[in-house]
Amino acid sequence: MNQLETITAILADILDLDPAGITPETYVIRDLRAESIDLLEIGVAMQHRLGIEVDDDTLFLRNMRTVLARAAKAGTAAIDALRGEYPHLDDARLGQMLADQPAGPVLKVRDLAAYAAARGGEREE
Amino acid sequence: MEARRVVVTASGFVLPQGSTRREVVEALGADRGPFVRSGPDPRVAVCPVPDFDLREHVGRCKNARYLTRGQQLCLAAAVRAVDEAGLGPAHLDRAGLFLGLGPNLQARPRDDKALWLLDCLPNTLAAAMAEILGLHGENLTVMTACAASTQALGQAYRTVAAGLADVALAGGGDSRLSPEGIQAYRQAGVLATDFLRPEEACRPFDRDRSGFAVGEGAAVFVLESLEHARARGAAVLAEITGASSSLDGGSLTGPDPSGRAAMRAVRQCLETLGGGELCVLAHGTGTVMNDQTEAAILAETVPGARAICAFKSRTGHLASACGAGELALGLICAQAGLFPAIANLENPIDPALPLLRTPMIFRPQSMLLQSFGFGGQNACLGVRFHE
């Protein structure tokens, strides 16, 4: 099982969903309706099953609005602020997020996979 | 304010005998219950609910990861009860919720589960049930061992009688079939072990009884004030006339041999039942001490009863859910007009007691449910039928 497959299995398990309905482009909060306690479980499960250290705030983009507000106040470019906060996401993805942000929580399954990839980690047997 | 009359308008159950009335009536027609040997410990007889899948009853449920098997059985029973009652969101919004539950013997600290704390908290099921069914009223989770679900029914009855809720869900669910559950009972020395066939393990009120067999299941009832039930045209299954509880204040496991406190609880309910033909739903575990004490209590308090049932001989011991499970079976039998014999009862410890030795065609006018748990925890419920 690769990291994306493991993450999909974790989401299906914790949210009691059919894994076939989960793709990299699926929104974790907007589509899968993950609540805060679900995110807690997802973070712990990724840590446990992928053998990586997980920082929930970074993984789930928890402070995005605060980071953007602080950047606006300081006159820093939004993308620069996000790059510093979320080094596991590339500029193209961060750009999408900025455009998408007014429509709701932007976190997608692919962002969880990008985090896991950046953290290295063991492949689950 | 005068106490209001309280009626049962629906029951949902998931039992070893089935989860519909028809399945249960058919299964009770057999000579014995569907017992098998325990997988974790083949010396022990168990009575499982076959092929239980929560999703079949409630759909997808992510919070099920924090619920024990017994709690999941209870959730399924509650959803079935609400379906049967035909209650809508407006009724449920202020409805009470009273559950009798047991401990989670498998809960432990876990690195792979952020909120394993929820596995240990007794009210997690109530919270999950409230979310699914939209219940927001008076509530209580009762954990008084094997008296718990009977006591929960009693608290629900009192709450509706006092006018604190027009509708309340009450009952319980439990399963001790896990390796931990079996081990706990074995070490407590309460299980039947000297049997050839598992269906012969549990022998309530028999001279050769040696302990109980472990069961699982759940039953949840909809209680309503009589006016509320009438106003919405609900079918009335029975009226609850009284509820009582007491504490032996003696041994932490076995009953007080004098039965003094238990007898007081029994009498309190009996006084509310009025006359007519009485059917007693005995606790009847099949342990040496319980049945001896209970037989003495029965002889003293209900010598004139028409029949005494002991459903644990057919379902095994549902632990905290036993009272609710036995009430569900009792209501089904009363409606069908047929009560099964106590399985494996060959040599009664007290031949004068009206213990059911053969199936009886019978429509009782009233029923007395009694549950006597670890901790000397006693609870009774009085139920009356109307034509």
Side-chain angles (χ1 to χ4, degrees):
Chain A
M1 215 185 247
N2 65 31
Q3 285 185 330
L4 180 63
E5 288 167 344
T6 303
I7 289 166
T8 302
I10 289 170
L11 292 170
D13 184 30
I14 288 172
L15 300 169
D16 197 17
L17 296 169
D18 182 355
I22 302 172
T23 74
E25 296 304 320
T26 304
Y27 289 102
V28 176
I29 296 164
R30 245 192 262 179
D31 293 337
L32 301 184
R33 308 257 166 212
E35 299 171 282
S36 60
I37 74 163
D38 304 323
L39 297 182
L40 271 177
E41 294 295 358
I42 292 163
V44 164
M46 284 179 62
Q47 189 161 312
H48 193 77
R49 289 179 62 175
L50 295 169
I52 58 174
E53 283 290 314
V54 167
D55 178 274
D56 277 14
D57 287 350
T58 310
L59 174 64
F60 299 122
L61 316 176
R62 277 231 174 92
N63 304 322
M64 189 177 249
R65 281 173 194 282
T66 319
V67 170
L68 290 174
R70 209 185 303 134
K73 209 170 171 185
T76 315
I79 193 131
D80 291 338
L82 290 182
R83 203 184 289 127
E85 193 75 14
Y86 308 116
H88 60 290
L89 300 174
D90 60 26
D91 278 11
R93 179 66 188 126
L94 292 174
Q96 283 175 359
M97 285 179 169
L98 284 172
D100 190 17
Q101 207 212 351
V106 296
L107 184 71
K108 288 184 172 182
V109 174
R110 60 183 279 195
D111 304 324
L112 303 182
Y115 184 90
R119 287 277 167 159
E122 307 146 13
R123 288 220 170 150
E124 199 181 49
E125 295 303 315
Chain B
M1 178 179 153
E2 201 183 329
R4 306 192 299 176
R5 292 173 68 184
V6 180
V7 293
V8 180
T9 54
S11 74
F13 46 87
V14 184
L15 296 167
Q17 275 74 11
S19 51
T20 66
R21 287 184 173 77
R22 180 190 294 224
E23 287 168 354
V24 168
V25 167
E26 194 181 312
L28 291 179
D31 287 342
R32 294 186 170 83
F35 292 89
V36 294
R37 285 184 184 273
S38 161
D41 188 343
R43 292 170 295 182
V44 173
V46 297
C47 197
V49 172
D51 307 320
F52 174 67
D53 180 0
L54 181 64
R55 280 186 188 166
E56 282 177 20
H57 302 271
V58 309
R60 290 184 184 275
C61 175
K62 66 182 181 184
N63 289 332
R65 65 178 181 262
Y66 303 116
L67 304 179
T68 63
R69 181 172 164 90
Q71 291 167 344
Q72 292 189 20
L73 288 161
C74 190
L75 179 54
V79 170
R80 297 185 70 88
V82 167
D83 280 352
E84 181 179 281
L87 293 169
H91 297 126
L92 293 168
D93 182 56
R94 300 173 73 92
L97 178 60
F98 296 81
L99 299 175
L101 300 174
N104 181 353
L105 297 176
Q106 295 183 297
R108 59 187 165 80
R110 284 170 58 164
D111 292 333
D112 62 343
K113 194 173 190 180
L115 292 166
W116 59 267
L117 174 62
L118 294 177
D119 298 348
C120 310
L121 294 179
N123 66 327
T124 299
L125 174 62
M129 209 179 263
E131 193 248 330
I132 288 173
L133 293 172
L135 304 163
H136 307 285
E138 288 276 333
N139 67 93
L140 192 63
T141 297
V142 181
M143 295 191 75
T144 48
C146 300
S149 61
T150 303
Q151 209 170 344
L153 280 156
Q155 290 304 117
Y157 157 75
R158 288 175 181 161
T159 300
V160 175
L164 298 172
D166 290 327
V167 178
L169 264 61
D174 210 342
S175 172
R176 305 282 171 88
L177 266 54
S178 65
E180 295 82 357
I182 301 286
Q183 185 188 348
Y185 281 141
R186 254 196 76 84
Q187 287 182 233
V190 291
L191 295 183
T193 47
D194 62 336
F195 54 87
L196 290 175
R197 290 196 293 265
E199 63 270 27
E200 294 171 352
C202 181
R203 318 174 69 85
F205 302 113
D206 191 272
R207 287 184 198 282
D208 295 327
R209 68 195 183 280
S210 66
F212 65 78
V214 188
E216 62 174 3
V220 173
F221 304 85
V222 175
L223 274 53
E224 295 181 59
S225 70
L226 180 61
E227 312 91 88
H228 192 271
R230 279 184 178 153
R232 71 180 191 96
V236 171
L237 300 179
E239 176 172 2
I240 298 181
T241 59
S244 58
S245 70
S246 66
L247 278 165
D248 283 357
S251 161
L252 293 186
T253 54
D256 168 12
S258 82
R260 200 175 62 89
M263 221 168 327
R264 193 168 61 210
V266 169
R267 287 206 167 104
Q268 266 176 270
C269 272
L270 274 178
E271 284 164 9
T272 67
L273 283 175
E277 293 195 315
L278 170 68
C279 178
V280 180
L281 308 179
H283 190 57
T285 57
T287 57
V288 174
M289 281 300 292
N290 174 81
D291 289 10
Q292 190 178 322
T293 306
E294 188 172 12
I297 292 169
L298 290 165
E300 184 77 21
T301 55
V302 289
R306 180 78 197 285
I308 298 172
C309 297
F311 285 122
K312 288 181 184 73
S313 66
R314 296 173 171 274
T315 62
H317 198 332
L318 271 52
S320 64
C322 70
E326 285 151 18
L327 180 61
L329 293 173
L331 292 178
I332 292 168
C333 292
Q335 198 173 32
L338 179 63
F339 283 78
I342 298 172
N344 304 313
L345 177 56
E346 286 163 15
N347 300 296
I349 46 176
D350 180 353
L353 284 177
L355 297 162
L356 270 183
R357 311 268 323 262
T358 54
M360 185 187 266
I361 296 172
F362 169 44
R363 286 188 193 277
Q365 264 121 23
S366 59
M367 288 199 309
L368 172 70
L369 171 68
Q370 48 194 40
S371 303
F372 306 128
F374 268 30
Q377 194 79 54
N378 312 304
C380 297
L381 198 74
V383 172
R384 191 156 182 86
F385 299 99
H386 300 278
E387 287 307 316

